[in-house]
Amino acid sequence: MTYCVGMLLDRGLVFMSDTRTNAGLDNIATAKKMHTWEVPGERIITLMTAGNLATTQAVVGLLDERTKAPADRQPSILEAPSMFQIAREMGRTLKEVIADNLSGQQEAAATFQATMIMGGQIKGNSPRLFLIYPEGNFIEASADNPFFQIGETKYGKPILVRAYEPKMTFENAIKLLFVSFDSTIKSNLSVGLPLDYVIVERDSMRITHQARVHRDDSYYQTVSTGWGEALKTAFGKLPDFAFD
Amino acid sequence: MTYCVGMLLDRGLVFMSDTRTNAGLDNIATAKKMHTWEVPGERIITLMTAGNLATTQAVVGLLDERTKAPADRQPSILEAPSMFQIAREMGRTLKEVIADNLSGQQEAAATFQATMIMGGQIKGNSPRLFLIYPEGNFIEASADNPFFQIGETKYGKPILVRAYEPKMTFENAIKLLFVSFDSTIKSNLSVGLPLDYVIVERDSMRITHQARVHRDDSYYQTVSTGWGEALKTAFGKLPDFAFD
């Protein structure tokens, strides 16, 4: 499994992904699930992937090759006129890779499936965030639906629902995501450190912050242990129940 | 879906279940998923079920009929010498019902499956708690593994992992379960109020408390709104993140 969250804030976009990949409990490894394409000052695109690793790496590989060979007849995501067109191109590529993997196989479609979160900004337009399905279609984040999760989404959702605010700072967004990821990692072996994050400030057209957070990161550890204590304190402060 | 939790405390056993059943989003209803059998002063048994409602009602019906007809050749759970034997009987009944539903059908086994949590106490023995699988086998709760969840388990797990304590009072256990259920209900339409709970105090050999908690229950509403605020406060008190 995997856990990735993309968030649309008033200030811009925040992306965080874990790095664990597994083919069964006895075969785990670390893989990057976050990819960025940047034309500094003009556009910035970030993609996070969940699902079959061969599928998602093929998608990224195809997008990359098209990016690097401008003479290629396929449209490049670095030249597409809008984030919407980039989402279409990525969705089409994902659908093609899955269809290609499936052709001549007897296995169920689910085996090769993947889901992606993509966001970014092109100069002159607003930052946009999309959730791209294995079928190649996609939905866009909005004020009603300001963040997307993919992979192992359930454990870390309650805190996002409760604490997300569109006006929050990037620092608070990272703190919130650390809590959400820590809740997931504590409950599910298929999600694991290190974590990657990328922050794109609105209208900056570049990666504002980017880092890999390792197991020994002291701030992550503070959040992880502190959140357990904070939850217990919060729980203790709720009014007590009494039987009738 | 469904959400049920059974907890082994030093003081005894706590059971809570939701009541929503659905055959698709457009077909929801309320069904009791908690069943008790009691021989006051001698034994108390509580069963909670998740999965195919026809399967679980058939299991409860069979257990009930055997209970009410003592001349029946099948062993009755009201006469079994131990909680272990009751778990075996329930597991066997579950497996039989699933096998019976499957026979002559082409559908996948998953359609008829169900999982159950069963606990109780027989005079002279300790309270015991079991998780019974569709295959008819089961595991028992212990100090290392003191609570079981079935159904839609993920949203409500992080708070259980953090705040459960074997020494907690029944009142605190109900409060904790309300928080866990509320987190689940807020995130997933397939789990819904009202909630049923049963509390069995160690060595009492009877139901100590039992109630149905409706949507307008004022304490539940206090926990539901209060927990959102408490989480935000707890989140605010965590040390702030700073970019390097």
Side-chain angles (χ1 to χ4, degrees):
Chain A
M1 215 56 174
T2 284
Y3 183 39
C4 303
V5 181
M7 263 186 192
L8 187 61
L9 299 178
D10 291 350
R11 290 161 207 263
L13 296 161
V14 182
F15 303 87
M16 191 176 284
S17 67
D18 85 315
T19 52
R20 181 158 294 174
T21 181
N22 73 86
L25 272 174
D26 54 350
N27 188 356
I28 66 169
T30 298
K32 197 166 168 63
K33 301 167 191 174
M34 185 180 288
H35 308 271
T36 54
W37 292 268
E38 197 176 5
V39 181
E42 199 274 325
R43 72 179 58 200
I44 167 75
I45 305 163
T46 299
L47 176 69
M48 296 186 294
T49 59
N52 184 295
L53 191 62
T55 295
T56 59
Q57 289 195 350
V59 168
V60 172
L62 282 170
L63 293 170
D64 248 349
E65 290 214 343
R66 289 169 188 170
T67 306
K68 284 167 188 161
D72 193 313
R73 271 170 301 178
Q74 298 284 348
S76 157
I77 55 170
L78 294 188
E79 287 166 6
S82 68
M83 291 305 298
F84 178 79
Q85 291 298 339
I86 294 171
R88 284 192 66 179
E89 169 69 6
M90 287 184 170
R92 230 170 4 230
T93 307
L94 175 59
K95 189 176 161 185
E96 279 169 23
V97 169
I98 295 174
D100 188 45
N101 281 332
L102 274 175
S103 67
Q105 306 261 13
Q106 293 191 322
E107 278 84 16
T111 316
F112 301 114
Q113 284 195 349
T115 309
M116 313 194 295
I117 292 173
M118 187 276 288
Q121 188 176 8
I122 294 176
K123 198 175 178 178
N125 297 296
S126 290
R128 296 175 75 176
L129 182 69
F130 299 88
L131 176 63
I132 304 172
Y133 296 105
E135 291 77 9
N137 58 355
F138 50 87
I139 59 174
E140 184 172 0
S142 65
D144 286 332
N145 197 9
F147 59 83
F148 290 131
Q149 303 169 282
I150 53 176
E152 189 55 68
T153 62
K154 296 184 177 183
Y155 303 105
K157 188 175 181 186
I159 184 65
L160 290 182
V161 171
R162 305 274 200 174
Y164 168 89
E165 284 169 16
K167 291 189 188 313
M168 69 200 310
T169 61
F170 288 130
E171 287 83 355
N172 268 338
I174 292 290
K175 185 164 93 167
L176 175 55
L177 289 172
F178 276 3
V179 171
S180 178
F181 273 73
D182 185 58
S183 295
T184 309
I185 288 167
K186 281 222 166 39
S187 295
N188 195 299
L189 287 174
S190 73
V191 179
L193 292 158
L195 308 178
D196 289 319
Y197 70 78
V198 159
I199 287 177
V200 176
E201 196 176 339
R202 174 186 277 269
D203 299 334
S204 71
M205 309 303 152
R206 58 178 186 83
I207 294 175
T208 315
H209 299 282
Q210 179 173 32
R212 172 158 286 196
V213 180
H214 292 275
R215 194 176 301 273
D216 58 358
D217 181 275
S218 67
Y219 180 71
Y220 182 85
Q221 288 184 344
T222 305
V223 167
S224 178
T225 53
W227 184 241
E229 288 308 308
L231 274 187
K232 280 187 208 170
T233 307
F235 178 70
K237 282 188 183 157
L238 280 181
D240 285 331
F241 177 75
F243 294 106
D244 295 332
Chain B
M1 217 54 175
T2 285
Y3 183 38
C4 303
V5 182
M7 262 186 193
L8 187 61
L9 300 179
D10 291 349
R11 289 160 207 264
L13 296 161
V14 182
F15 303 88
M16 190 175 283
S17 67
D18 85 316
T19 53
R20 181 157 293 174
T21 179
N22 74 86
L25 271 174
D26 54 350
N27 188 356
I28 66 168
T30 298
K32 197 166 168 62
K33 301 166 189 172
M34 186 180 288
H35 309 272
T36 54
W37 292 268
E38 198 176 4
V39 180
E42 199 274 325
R43 72 179 58 198
I44 167 75
I45 305 163
T46 298
L47 177 69
M48 296 185 295
T49 59
N52 184 295
L53 190 62
T55 295
T56 59
Q57 289 194 351
V59 169
V60 172
L62 283 169
L63 293 171
D64 248 348
E65 291 213 342
R66 289 171 189 169
T67 306
K68 284 166 190 162
D72 192 314
R73 271 171 300 179
Q74 298 286 350
S76 158
I77 55 170
L78 294 188
E79 287 167 6
S82 68
M83 293 304 298
F84 178 79
Q85 291 298 340
I86 294 171
R88 282 191 68 178
E89 170 68 7
M90 288 183 168
R92 230 172 1 232
T93 307
L94 175 60
K95 189 177 162 185
E96 278 168 25
V97 169
I98 295 173
D100 188 44
N101 281 331
L102 274 174
S103 67
Q105 305 260 13
Q106 292 191 324
E107 278 83 17
T111 317
F112 301 113
Q113 284 195 348
T115 309
M116 313 195 295
I117 293 173
M118 187 277 288
Q121 188 177 7
I122 294 176
K123 199 175 177 178
N125 297 296
S126 290
R128 297 175 74 174
L129 182 69
F130 299 88
L131 176 64
I132 304 173
Y133 296 104
E135 291 77 11
N137 56 356
F138 50 87
I139 59 173
E140 183 172 2
S142 64
D144 285 333
N145 197 10
F147 59 84
F148 291 131
Q149 305 168 281
I150 53 175
E152 190 54 68
T153 62
K154 296 184 179 183
Y155 302 105
K157 187 174 182 187
I159 184 63
L160 290 183
V161 171
R162 304 276 198 172
Y164 168 89
E165 284 170 16
K167 292 190 189 309
M168 69 199 313
T169 62
F170 288 130
E171 287 83 354
N172 268 339
I174 292 290
K175 184 164 93 168
L176 174 56
L177 288 171
F178 276 4
V179 170
S180 178
F181 273 73
D182 185 58
S183 295
T184 309
I185 288 168
K186 280 222 166 41
S187 295
N188 195 300
L189 288 175
S190 74
V191 179
L193 292 158
L195 308 179
D196 289 319
Y197 70 79
V198 160
I199 287 178
V200 176
E201 196 176 338
R202 173 186 278 268
D203 298 334
S204 69
M205 308 303 152
R206 59 178 185 82
I207 294 175
T208 315
H209 298 284
Q210 179 172 32
R212 173 158 285 195
V213 180
H214 292 275
R215 195 176 300 274
D216 58 359
D217 182 274
S218 67
Y219 180 71
Y220 182 85
Q221 288 184 345
T222 305
V223 167
S224 178
T225 53
W227 183 242
E229 289 308 310
L231 273 186
K232 279 186 208 170
T233 308
F235 179 70
K237 281 186 184 158
L238 281 181
D240 285 332
F241 178 74
F243 294 105
D244 296 332

